[in-house]
Amino acid sequence: MSEKPKVSACIVLYKNFEQAREALASIFENTKGCELEMFVVDNASGDGGLEKLAAEFPQIRAIQLEDNRGFGHGHNAVLPLIDSEFHAVINPDIILSSDVLSEIAGYLQENPDIGQVTPKILSPDGEVQVLGKRNPSFLALMGRNIFKKALKPVCDHYAMLDEDLSKPIDIQFATGCFSMIRSDIFKRLGGYDERFFLYFEDMDITRRVNQTSRAVYYPYSSVVHAWDRAYSHKPKYFAIVVASMFKYFAKWGFQLK
């Protein structure tokens, strides 16, 4: 029997203690088939949430940041600390109901040409969340956020609904809410591009993974994502989306559709 894969995982916390508490409980309850090191990074929440999580889950490695410099910066804080084969990026609003971390780590062990994997993402009601899997175009992003009916064909293409998603398939964009990456690749890339405060950093890193490896959607494993989509109803977050979109197209080139 082969040794258990060594997996590190990180949740970045920002004023969402209760969500992170549920996420951690589900992770520790279900993760049996790998050797797990769990990090929780607090982006200067100022609400004592990290201390409460550390008291309830003494097995976590808690990291308190002095200021909030964004999603990518928070996750990059663990780069010098991880000593694992595979590293999982997990949102606080993710719930596990099976040993997904071990399943995906095992899949990566069996497929050394794959650098990053994301599983099927479900809503709390069990419906599959329709998420982008191809590189984003301007029209696809507009369709996702504004002109949903008029641009539905473009959005469906962006989500790869024109492909068979019942089996593993190469993708151009692995969602940042839950993905696993080879730790050596994550380190070699320098983690996330911190110019993206929030949003698009996951699209960016997937493109960089795909330059030397493969990113794959793996539907045989799934997690539940309590998707808030704050940008759709909070002007502050919508402004961040727009700013990140311009940074992304400035870096990778504009794509209309």
Side-chain angles (χ1 to χ4, degrees), residues 40-59:
V40 179
V41 177
D42 183 64
N43 263 349
S45 297
D47 59 0
L50 185 64
E51 292 81 357
K52 289 186 281 188
L53 290 174
E56 185 169 352
F57 303 100
Q59 62 269 57

Side-chain angles (χ1 to χ4, degrees), residues 170-238:
D170 284 25
I171 57 176
Q172 296 173 331
F173 165 30
T175 176
C177 72
F178 188 103
S179 72
M180 185 178 289
I181 187 171
R182 291 186 184 275
S183 300
D184 61 338
I185 291 179
F186 191 49
K187 288 189 172 189
R188 188 166 67 245
L189 294 176
Y192 289 102
D193 184 338
E194 295 183 18
R195 287 175 292 181
F196 300 98
F197 180 83
L198 186 63
Y199 308 118
F200 288 83
E201 70 288 305
D202 48 359
M203 301 175 186
D204 172 80
I205 200 170
T206 309
R207 288 189 80 139
R208 291 187 285 133
V209 168
N210 273 326
Q211 289 178 332
T212 58
S213 186
R214 296 167 56 206
V216 170
Y217 171 67
Y218 185 73
Y220 302 146
S221 296
S222 64
V223 299
V224 173
H225 181 209
W227 199 12
D228 178 49
R229 294 189 68 155
Y231 61 83
S232 67
H233 54 85
K234 296 179 181 178
K236 171 186 174 181
Y237 287 97
F238 185 74

Side-chain angles (χ1 to χ4, degrees), residues 125-170:
D125 62 4
E127 290 293 314
V128 177
Q129 289 186 0
V130 179
L131 302 175
K133 294 178 178 64
R134 287 191 169 101
N135 291 329
S137 68
F138 179 75
L139 289 181
L141 296 173
M142 291 300 99
R144 299 279 288 182
N145 296 292
I146 303 174
F147 306 108
K148 296 183 180 181
K149 290 185 179 180
L151 295 173
K152 186 178 185 302
V154 179
C155 295
D156 288 351
H157 178 75
Y158 172 50
M160 292 182 69
L161 298 185
D162 50 359
E163 300 283 351
D164 180 4
L165 298 178
S166 67
K167 57 187 179 182
I169 188 171
D170 284 25

Side-chain angles (χ1 to χ4, degrees), residues 4-51:
K4 289 183 176 182
K6 192 171 183 181
V7 175
S8 55
C10 181
I11 290 175
V12 170
L13 185 71
Y14 184 68
K15 298 182 180 180
N16 42 14
F17 158 73
E18 288 295 344
Q19 281 188 324
R21 181 176 180 271
E22 290 185 40
L24 287 168
S26 74
I27 290 167
F28 289 125
E29 179 182 355
N30 289 285
T31 304
K32 309 295 181 185
C34 66
E35 182 183 336
L36 177 64
E37 183 173 33
M38 187 74 226
F39 294 88
V40 179
V41 177
D42 183 64
N43 263 349
S45 297
D47 59 0
L50 185 64
E51 292 81 357

